[in-house]
Amino acid sequence: MEQIKRKNEVDMLHGSLANKIILFALPLAASSILQQLFNSADVAVVGRFAGSEALAAVGANGSVINLFVNFFVGLSIGTNVVLSSYLGQAKHKPAQKTVHTSILLALICGIIMLVIGFFFAEKILIVMSTPADILKPAVKYLRIYLFGMPFILLYNFEAAILRSKGDTEHPLFALLIAGIINVILNLFFVIGFHMSVDGVAIATVLSNVVSSMLLLYVLLHENEPLKLEKTKLHISTQIVLKIAKIGIPSAFQATLYSISNVLIQKAMNGLGSTAIAANAAALNYEYFAYFLLSAFSQACVTFVSQNYAAGNKERCRKIVKYCWMSAALSEIVMNGIFIGFAHPFASVFTKDSAVAELAVIRMIYVLSFEVFNMTPEVLSGCMRGLGYSFIPAIICVLGICGFRIIWIYTIFQRVHTYQRLIIVYPISWIITSVAVFIAYLAVRKRIL
């Protein structure tokens, strides 16, 4: 067991960088893509076997669920940075405190979100102007899904702990097992028992339980200082404050991203069930492309954090260059494939030709420009790793979230069309790329 764990670790402080960044980022990207693939299985199963109404009901929940989850995923970045810094300085005792504080924090936050979300599910979806014909199944899906919230947050904090030492393989393995279970249960409930959105929601909850328990087992059998021991579970106020210093700006940014997407979803809901279903189908491919960017951004956070703590400033600059170039290449290849085969990819999720056509339009409009999103992602990751989490958060909030909200209530209101709504994504990425690049140059000149 000890030998296996050493193999899963990455020495971020010494040796070549390019191959280590790839070895770190690809399993991380694969984990997120697998997770989305299994979420996409929910969409595909209900879309093809339960109809467009069920597909729209699941799709109407996407931005709401992301709003709940993304705040705490952003907060888990704080755990990753704090732990990486302690490991870079070989400070094992505070690293142990960080592990135990993070696990308990995830469980407490997950339970709180479950309770709040469950009781306000219907009101939230009504506020979002969810069409009446899909409101009832949408509420049912959301309420069942929220029972998995403690396990979703637990998995994300467990994965952040393991990433701090370069282990992205165990989270990938956990998701692979849980995802296979999710797909099997989807088919079992929807086709075998003729269930609809409730079937895929139950399958998702059960798969989240599995993935979190698998990583819990890994941490219980870890080497020091990341070994989890039940008797040491305790909230350290000092550690929470350190996590919050890095994580809260990231969480705030993720939350406002989600709020802007909720408002876009609300505007989308006003265009009818066909547009909602098309949006749900096309979003899956945008998620795949984004996860590659996010993997290199998280690699940048972790590698920069460890090396900056160890005083390797020149190495930090190289890390940013390799992460940015890798993200650019991966985006060009993946999005080229999605756009080139947009029609068959869209038809995976629906048999309705009108839904498929709108999905293709979104894929072309958005995926053609998603490469611009790599600059905010990678450079923001670098600044977080250096301890400057607030600066990229503010820029992205204003450049992406703020611009999108203004667009919805001005430009989109004048021309109330599907195309006019989705074009806001590439425009906001381009604006934010320029601003984040300027901020990064200022930070680099000051401390690197």
Side-chain angles (χ1 to χ4, degrees):
M1 191 67 151
E2 188 173 332
Q3 186 179 1
I4 292 173
K5 290 184 189 311
R6 287 204 186 105
K7 191 186 293 185
N8 287 331
E9 294 180 16
V10 175
D11 182 0
M12 304 179 196
L13 302 177
H14 309 95
S16 62
L17 277 170
N19 62 326
K20 291 180 180 179
I21 288 172
I22 296 294
L23 288 172
F24 179 96
L26 288 186
L28 181 56
S31 297
S32 299
I33 290 170
L34 267 177
Q35 193 169 30
Q36 185 56 41
L37 275 172
F38 299 130
N39 291 339
S40 299
D42 293 358
V43 177
V45 169
V46 295
R48 297 191 68 86
F49 297 104
S52 294
E53 183 180 293
L55 173 61
V58 174
N61 276 293
S63 57
V64 177
I65 290 169
N66 286 337
L67 177 60
F68 287 147
V69 174
N70 284 350
F71 177 86
F72 296 101
V73 172
L75 191 61
S76 73
I77 292 174
T79 290
N80 181 273
V81 171
V82 171
L83 259 180
S84 297
S85 180
Y86 283 142
L87 293 177
Q89 299 172 76
K91 294 182 177 179
H92 287 182
K93 194 167 183 179
Q96 287 181 330
K97 285 185 180 180
T98 305
V99 169
H100 292 87
T101 295
S102 297
I103 294 297
L104 204 51
L105 187 64
L107 289 172
I108 293 170
C109 291
I111 292 169
I112 292 172
M113 293 308 299
L114 162 60
V115 173
I116 293 174
F118 184 85
F119 286 106
F120 290 95
E122 184 172 1
K123 290 182 179 178
I124 291 169
L125 290 171
I126 289 173
V127 167
M128 287 183 61
S129 303
T130 304
D133 59 334
I134 63 170
L135 179 61
K136 188 175 179 181
V139 171
K140 180 188 287 187
Y141 178 85
L142 181 56
R143 281 181 170 156
I144 296 172
Y145 186 98
L146 288 170
F147 275 99
M149 193 60 67
F151 302 100
I152 292 171
L153 298 193
L154 181 60
Y155 170 85
N156 278 286
F157 275 83
E158 290 167 338
I161 290 168
L162 292 170
R163 282 198 303 271
S164 69
K165 65 156 188 166
D167 181 2
T168 55
E169 294 179 20
H170 277 120
L172 173 59
F173 176 76
L175 277 182
L176 180 61
I177 298 299
I180 291 171
I181 292 171
N182 185 33
V183 172
I184 293 171
L185 291 178
N186 275 338
L187 298 172
F188 180 74
F189 289 135
V190 176
I191 299 176
F193 282 85
H194 307 289
M195 298 172 74
S196 181
V197 296
D198 49 347
V200 294
I202 292 170
T204 300
V205 171
L206 294 176
S207 66
N208 285 324
V209 172
V210 170
S211 62
S212 63
M213 290 301 103
L214 286 172
L215 286 195
L216 187 65
Y217 176 84
V218 171
L219 288 175
L220 287 170
H221 294 81
E222 256 295 343
N223 294 324
E224 297 290 353
L226 302 186
K227 182 179 175 63
L228 180 66
E229 299 178 52
K230 300 173 193 174
T231 56
K232 292 184 180 179
L233 284 173
H234 174 73
I235 295 287
S236 166
T237 304
Q238 182 183 10
I239 295 297
V240 169
L241 291 175
K242 284 180 175 291
I243 291 173
K245 182 180 178 181
I246 300 297
I248 289 294
S250 299
F252 175 68
Q253 176 183 332
T255 301
L256 287 179
Y257 261 58
S258 296
I259 289 173
S260 68
N261 288 335
V262 165
L263 293 174
I264 291 174
Q265 183 66 56
K266 182 178 179 180
M268 186 72 66
N269 290 347
L271 298 175
S273 298
T274 299
I276 297 171
N279 196 58
L283 268 172
N284 288 281
Y285 300 106
E286 292 170 34
Y287 289 143
F288 298 149
Y290 171 75
F291 290 144
L292 273 174
L293 291 181
S294 180
F296 288 107
S297 173
Q298 291 184 58
C300 200
V301 169
T302 308
F303 276 72
V304 166
S305 181
Q306 273 208 26
N307 280 276
Y308 184 64
N312 299 329
K313 293 185 178 182
E314 177 60 31
R315 197 171 172 85
C316 290
R317 288 192 287 268
K318 290 180 180 178
I319 289 165
V320 176
K321 180 178 73 173
Y322 289 136
C323 288
W324 192 90
M325 291 171 62
S326 300
L329 180 61
S330 60
E331 280 298 290
I332 291 169
V333 172
M334 178 173 274
N335 288 347
I337 293 170
F338 287 153
I339 293 169
F341 298 92
H343 284 87
F345 277 127
S347 65
V348 169
F349 297 97
T350 182
K351 293 183 282 187
D352 188 322
S353 60
V355 171
E357 281 302 316
L358 283 182
V360 168
I361 290 172
R362 173 162 183 141
M363 290 171 69
I364 293 171
Y365 270 56
V366 178
L367 291 175
S368 298
F369 294 92
E370 192 158 14
V371 69
F372 285 100
N373 200 23
M374 69 185 177
T375 298
E377 286 293 326
V378 173
L379 298 188
S380 293
C382 172
M383 286 187 275
R384 290 190 189 104
L386 295 170
Y388 287 78
S389 191
F390 187 72
I391 294 173
I394 289 297
I395 293 173
C396 291
V397 163
L398 294 175
I400 292 182
C401 308
F403 180 81
R404 289 177 184 177
I405 292 170
I406 292 170
W407 183 277
I408 291 168
Y409 292 105
T410 55
I411 306 298
F412 175 68
Q413 291 301 318
R414 294 176 186 171
V415 183
H416 208 65
T417 65
Y418 182 78
Q419 289 88 338
R420 185 56 63 96
L421 180 59
I422 60 178
I423 197 67
V424 69
Y425 289 98
I427 296 175
S428 62
W429 289 331
I430 293 169
I431 292 171
T432 308
S433 291
V434 175
V436 170
F437 183 69
I438 293 170
Y440 166 72
L441 291 178
V443 170
R444 190 180 72 171
K445 183 177 180 181
R446 180 178 177 183
I447 63 174
L448 290 182

